[in-house]
Amino acid sequence: MKIVDVLIERKIQSLNRPFSYVVKDDALIEVGERVLVPFNNKNIVGYVINVTKSDKSIAELEKEFGYKLFEVRKIIDEKPLLTPELILLANEIKNYYLAPYISILQAMLPLSLKPTSSSLKGPKIAYEYFVKIVSDNEDNLTPKQIELLRLVKNNGEVNKKDIKSPSILKKLIDNNHLQIIKKEKKRLVINATKEQKNFVLTNEQNQAIESVLHSKQNVTLLQGITGCGKTEIYLSLAEKVIETGKNVLILVPEISLTPIMVNNVYSRFNEKVAILHSGLTNAERYDEYRKILNKEVNVVVGTRSAIFAPLDNIGLIIIDEEHSESYKQDNLPYYHAREVAIMRSKINNAKVLLGSATPSFESKTKAMKGIYNFIKIDKRINKLKLPETLIVDMSKSMNLSRDSYLFSKPLISAINEALARKEQIILLLNRRGYSTYVSCRKCGHIFKCPNCDIALTYHKNDKMLKCHHCGHVELMSEYCPECGSNYIAYTGFGSEKIVSEVNRLFPSARVLRLDSDVSEVRGNIKKAIASFSNYEADILVGTQMIAKGHDFPRVTLVGIVLADVGLSLPSFRSSERVFQLITQAIGRSGRSDLSGKAIIQTYLPNHYSILLASKQNYDAFFNYEMRIRHIQQYPPFSFLLSIEVSAKNEEYVILAANDIVNNLNSKLQDEATILGPVAPYFAYQNNTYKRLILIKYKNSDKIKQEINKLLETFKFNNVVNVKINVDPYDF
Ligand code: ADP
Ligand code: ZN
Ligand code: ZN
């Protein structure tokens, strides 16, 4: 008999311990492989963390263990999936993030990655499944079903993987509204155009590269203004590191938004590149994964989870736009790719380069303290000037246009001028939908979400009302549900409304929209970006998606339709987010020899985030905001940790949460501030009640010790579940 200790694939604290199973002596089984095991009358996937041999009989063993020992049903993997280095990393992550071990293993291995023995041997045909419309008759369908039906109708064929709710899809297939079609899938093909540019690096670029390679600190922060040539620094540096026989990992916030980065990496390093992100199909992902395991590549480019790529011999990890929120996972194990990168660099003795025009406060502070090496580049390539920016106060009547309440006089004339010169324009409004507030003019009824009690947003494209908090949808009705009148007022505006306004004011301009509604369908982002790059449109309208690292040389005007969006959100990060967004957006203008302009419309023209972003003055913003953070003792002046307590029974949650707070208060009153328990935004979801506790602290050792003790006490508690989020982004 072999006794196999297995971690069950459930991220619940009470299951955060191994369960024992047995296999026959001759079974080939190794630590690091996945198995199918019976658990509570179901077969579920588990992860082998220990194998021992025993000469005892099953009966003797069961007596010793005190429970029935089941046999492993199936060994899923042929060989261990994680390298010894990744196992080491998993332990470090566990110590830092205090997360259930299985949740870390799951984060490291994309769930869909199921290398069966056949796929290990070589490529076979992969298929993709698309959803097609059969009938668009909406009678007797629920709003959620109609939402999906309209999505498919508006987009033609939709990849099945993009459909968020399999149960709604199944209903629509069962009642003959939709059908699935199967198509042969081409494996990942990147049509990287060969790089033509072969420029000489600038002095700033060369100095940055030398500094990363030779600094005594392993981590370097590169604070470089938009358009200073950071990408070229990354690529040249990667080349140098590869020449020394080491490998390079490059993380980007979102691949579909920055296809240029992937293209550049491909053309520079030819076939020696693997790419990992959530947009890949399972087959593609597996191919890429296998290329890395087989040591066929020197470079891996990917999004957050690519930090776990099984790349060996890493010499350099680059994190582009290191301030990006997308690097923090928003469920267990709640890791941040930047912190994991630093852990991984220590194991490999590798360098880390963090790059951004607007570094995170955490990184900037460490750079200022000398913990990180620091490089600053203030000059744009070719001494290009920053775009000329104009802040337009929308409360001043002289700025307002007779023709439009959304676009000011200066913005309208700037758009006309750019159109006349055949240049391109980006219009940013960080809010999607058509109208963010729908009400009845007669009785004053407001169309609100029944779950959240906030106003619903009208989406014109599929004529539905949607809640941007919880995803509730309903059909837009022409009549007021209260009084039956048809005087419906649409106020408040989102990106869809901007498109209509552009069509109305500039009828001959070609307009494209890019926001998360559009990008719900795979490939749409890529299409929009390619088409704008090829000058098939004059104006690109969208949310924060259009502010990211794009390099559209023909764009000479960026208009921020309402900069105030987001400033009033209840988060200590709201000013920082708005500053980053405006800075990034303005940076899209004037990136070639055409000089650029940016117009910022706002009702708060003197707000420091807006004023300083308009000047692209990160350092002044940092100093100002740091004073506020200091007074309120927010990060980076303190650390945060949040505890989510949940259970099916509200009373138990409240009792447990209060217990935890009392307990922590008695032990940590000198080291930490403990806030809560509070009911979170979604205090009741999926039949589960939740409470949140927040801890602010300066020194983590004692805090983490106490949290570990706390987790111990919940280990055998099947009623109340506890989740820890170390360094939560918001709370
Ligand atoms: P950032 O990421 O810092 O905003 P990019 O890396 O996109 O800036 O570079 C801005 C532009 O400058 C790109 O079009 C890039 O091809 C170009 N560029 C970069 N380095 C050089 C160089 N040494 N000489 C000429 N052009 C360069
Ligand atoms: Zn009414
Ligand atoms: Zn809601």
Side-chain angles (χ1 to χ4, degrees), residues 540-551:
L540 179 65
V541 174
T543 53
Q544 40 86 23
M545 287 188 147
I546 62 174
K548 299 289 157 67
H550 314 293
D551 196 18

Side-chain angles (χ1 to χ4, degrees), residues 643-662 676-680 682-693 710 714 717-723:
I643 306 175
E644 184 196 282
V645 189
S646 64
K648 301 274 178 213
N649 177 313
E650 189 167 23
E651 207 180 316
Y652 290 166
V653 176
I654 295 173
L655 278 174
N658 284 331
D659 257 8
I660 293 174
V661 169
N662 291 337
V678 294
F682 295 117
Y684 177 70
Q685 246 187 335
N686 303 332
N687 300 317
T688 305
Y689 293 89
K690 288 180 187 167
R691 287 294 182 275
L692 270 186
I693 298 160
L710 173 80
F714 281 90
N717 189 331
N718 292 321
V719 181
V720 176
N721 189 33
V722 175
K723 280 190 202 171

Side-chain angles (χ1 to χ4, degrees), residues 197 199-202 205 224-232 234 320-321 381-382 549-551 587-588 591:
K197 302 175 202 158
F199 24 65
V200 184
L201 295 186
T202 62
Q205 286 172 325
I225 197 163
T226 53
C228 74
K230 290 189 285 295
T231 312
E232 190 51 44
Y234 302 153
D320 185 27
E321 309 287 356
I381 289 287
N382 295 332
H550 314 293
D551 196 18
R588 297 316 106 209
R591 291 171 72 90

Side-chain angles (χ1 to χ4, degrees), residues 292-305:
I292 304 170
L293 280 174
N294 292 345
K295 306 193 198 305
E296 292 168 25
V297 303
N298 300 126
V299 184
V300 173
V301 199
T303 46
R304 182 179 61 229
S305 64

Side-chain angles (χ1 to χ4, degrees), residues 155 513-522 524-525 528:
N155 284 283
R513 176 166 63 100
L514 184 55
D515 55 28
S516 50
D517 289 338
V518 175
S519 67
E520 235 175 292
V521 172
R522 185 172 307 248
N524 274 356
I525 298 183

Side-chain angles (χ1 to χ4, degrees), residues 440 443 480 483:
C440 169
C443 77
C480 169
C483 73

Side-chain angles (χ1 to χ4, degrees), residues 34-52:
R34 288 169 308 163
V35 286
L36 207 59
V37 290
F39 192 84
N40 281 347
N41 300 324
K42 273 188 208 139
N43 283 335
I44 68 175
V45 176
Y47 193 91
V48 180
I49 58 163
N50 194 31
V51 180
T52 42

